[in-house]
Amino acid sequence: MVPRVRLSIFYQFDIFGTKVGGIETFIKGFVKFAPDDFEVELVGLTENREQRKAGLRVESEYGGRPIFYHPVLYARDPNYHARVPLSLKYTLALMRRRVEVTGRILEFHRLEPALAFWTKKNPRGYTCHLNLADLADTHAEAKWKKAPWLYFQLEKRLIRTMDLIYVVNQSGLEFYQERYPKLASRMRFTPTWVDETVFHPLEEHCKKEEAKALRERMGLDQDGALILFAGRFDPQKDPLLLLESFNTLKTLRPRDALLLVGEGELRPRMERYVRDAALQDSVLFLGKMDQPDLAGLMRTADLFALTSGFEGMPMCVLEALGSGLPAVSTKVTGVDRVLRENFSGIIADDRKAGTLARAMALVLDQKEKYTPSNCLAAVEKYQARTVLAPIYQARYELAARTA
């Protein structure tokens, strides 16, 4: 049977690699849950030249379904930012490789790669994962923050070529609708989601046994709480604020430990802070993890913490709640949809270390209010299949244009 939807997804990552982030998780989930009559091609990069050669399109498998994988560029470790932006290298590689897209829907998660297909007439969709009004934010990692006016000139030309525009941020959608009123009918909001097949809680007695074994393996105090962070170590996520907040929390709860999952450019500064604050025995750097291992930690920990300067709608918070784990977060877009005090978590009133520390202590001291069942109820509407269903339906509608 000929697939009804032939889709090429363009983003600068290796779906089989180590890149950490919400966009990567979004794309992986989109592929995993795609209907059987979607023929999916991922045009990305390779972190492993031996297994995935740049320029070679191959049949592969991801999430139990067949895909085509077409890396156009090699990047040794995309978790670290090079002097030349990876988005620029990737866009130039697309232009050089001349990827064949006849009869396919083009799906972008950044606008810059669309330059490589400027003259093509394919139906195309764009998913924006941030409020672009945050581009000049001091926590932004994109090189465009040095010249946001230039980005918006590029955006003005490229966004008009998009047939569907999804924004993973309600305020970002409103920003776009106001900026491009003639395109408003093409714009839709989509929340992020939690993959319930991976992120789910343990029975209470199993959690206690797992937590005890984890503390023993890591040499941590059996009476201390386990606080978890997962994400990139970069300015947007502001993990240094998390360390400051945890250091303050230690004056209130000296036995607690902080587990850090991820990698990034700020790791040397974070390690230096841990040494200077004498936190080596209670702060553990666990490196990068795949989803199943991270889900195991979320099922075992006592609290998830997010200290980002800005976000779209952070998937890590939904994943934590889906694992029965309450969260404390800074006031970033989207968390107010799922975090509610005395129920599933707390949104800090400001970005001060003391405020975040008090919020963490409050949740940890009142576990009876922040139960796994409450956390699950908070994300009930945000399960993967529920959120993705209308997005897939929209791709069917686009596919009719290629027939």
Side-chain angles (χ1 to χ4, degrees):
M1 179 177 177
V2 177
R4 293 176 57 194
V5 177
R6 301 177 67 228
L7 183 73
S8 292
I9 301 173
F10 297 89
Y11 190 63
Q12 59 207 44
F13 88 119
D14 185 340
I15 197 170
F16 306 106
T18 63
K19 183 70 166 66
V20 178
I23 300 177
E24 291 78 13
T25 303
F26 188 106
I27 296 171
K28 289 176 178 180
F30 181 94
V31 173
K32 176 179 176 179
F33 292 102
D36 291 340
D37 55 0
F38 273 47
E39 179 189 280
V40 178
E41 176 186 34
L42 282 158
V43 184
L45 54 80
T46 177
E47 296 179 31
N48 188 319
R49 285 170 164 163
E50 300 300 321
Q51 296 181 7
R52 297 175 291 281
K53 185 177 179 181
L56 184 62
R57 183 180 188 264
V58 296
E59 293 187 38
S60 189
E61 181 180 297
Y62 181 80
R65 60 158 297 133
I67 63 169
F68 290 97
Y69 196 68
H70 189 172
V72 296
L73 177 71
Y74 168 72
R76 186 177 62 84
D77 189 347
N79 291 290
Y80 289 82
H81 299 290
R83 183 169 299 177
V84 179
L86 186 58
S87 59
L88 176 58
K89 293 180 181 178
Y90 176 67
T91 301
L92 292 174
L94 286 173
M95 293 176 173
R96 186 174 66 251
R97 299 284 184 184
R98 298 183 181 274
V99 176
E100 176 57 49
V101 295
T102 301
R104 307 190 72 85
I105 298 171
L106 311 185
E107 187 79 24
F108 300 97
H109 291 265
R110 288 187 66 138
L111 276 176
E112 300 96 317
L115 276 171
F117 306 96
W118 178 259
T119 61
K120 302 293 184 180
K121 302 301 182 183
N122 304 60
R124 58 189 69 193
Y126 167 50
T127 303
C128 178
H129 294 266
L130 289 174
N131 180 354
L132 269 299
D134 293 327
L135 188 61
D137 189 282
T138 55
H139 297 95
E141 61 188 88
K143 295 288 195 298
W144 286 116
K145 72 177 182 179
K146 297 179 181 178
W149 61 270
L150 183 58
Y151 175 83
F152 287 122
Q153 284 297 313
L154 178 66
E155 176 191 83
K156 184 178 180 180
R157 287 158 175 77
L158 292 177
I159 200 167
R160 293 172 180 169
T161 70
M162 300 298 158
D163 298 284
L164 278 176
I165 302 162
Y166 279 92
V167 186
V168 189
N169 182 303
Q170 186 63 51
S171 57
L173 175 63
E174 294 164 3
F175 173 80
Y176 260 167
Q177 289 173 330
E178 182 178 347
R179 189 173 184 86
Y180 303 107
K182 293 182 179 180
L183 304 180
S185 63
R186 307 182 197 178
M187 299 178 183
R188 305 175 188 181
F189 168 73
T190 180
T192 52
W193 66 82
V194 55
D195 181 347
E196 65 274 16
T197 68
V198 176
F199 296 93
H200 47 80
L202 288 172
E203 295 290 337
E204 185 60 29
H205 69 280
C206 294
K207 177 172 180 174
K208 288 181 179 178
E209 292 176 2
E210 291 286 334
K212 180 180 179 181
L214 178 65
R215 290 183 177 93
E216 287 177 351
R217 288 198 306 272
M218 296 184 173
L220 300 173
D221 193 317
Q222 286 290 344
D223 295 322
L226 299 176
I227 301 165
L228 177 65
F229 166 86
R232 300 184 309 278
F233 298 163
D234 63 30
Q236 178 192 336
K237 303 296 182 182
D238 206 356
L240 288 167
L241 173 59
L242 174 61
L243 289 174
E244 293 171 14
S245 303
F246 178 72
N247 196 20
T248 303
L249 178 67
K250 291 286 281 184
T251 64
L252 305 172
R253 298 175 54 90
R255 295 181 172 181
D256 293 351
L258 176 62
L259 309 180
L260 300 169
V261 176
E263 284 292 348
E265 63 189 65
L266 291 180
R267 177 157 180 167
R269 289 179 60 187
M270 295 166 67
E271 291 175 333
R272 187 161 58 249
Y273 181 94
V274 169
R275 288 194 302 271
D276 292 346
L279 294 172
Q280 298 96 319
D281 293 337
S282 55
V283 175
L284 281 70
F285 290 86
L286 303 182
K288 294 169 281 195
M289 282 189 179
D290 59 20
Q291 271 197 337
D293 289 337
L294 175 60
L297 269 186
M298 286 184 168
R299 285 192 281 271
T300 306
D302 299 289
L303 178 68
F304 187 84
L306 182 74
T307 51
S308 295
F310 63 91
E311 289 280 354
M313 184 178 175
M315 296 187 84
C316 57
V317 171
L318 274 67
E319 291 168 348
L321 295 172
S323 304
L325 180 64
V328 166
S329 174
T330 44
K331 195 179 295 185
V332 294
T333 303
V335 292
D336 59 344
R337 292 174 175 267
V338 293
L339 293 187
R340 181 152 51 93
E341 192 165 347
N342 296 323
F343 189 76
S344 56
I346 294 178
I347 303 171
D349 292 331
D350 55 50
R351 296 183 52 76
K352 296 178 182 177
T355 304
L356 285 156
R358 287 189 293 274
M360 288 190 278
L362 191 61
V363 174
L364 292 169
D365 290 340
Q366 299 180 340
K367 288 185 178 182
E368 70 281 359
K369 295 181 178 179
Y370 299 91
T371 62
S373 59
N374 285 352
C375 295
L376 283 177
V379 294
E380 185 177 8
K381 296 189 300 184
Y382 301 102
Q383 294 189 351
R385 290 185 176 89
T386 301
V387 174
L388 287 168
I391 298 178
Y392 294 139
Q393 181 57 42
R395 298 306 177 270
Y396 283 122
E397 295 166 8
L398 281 184
R401 304 185 191 183
T402 66

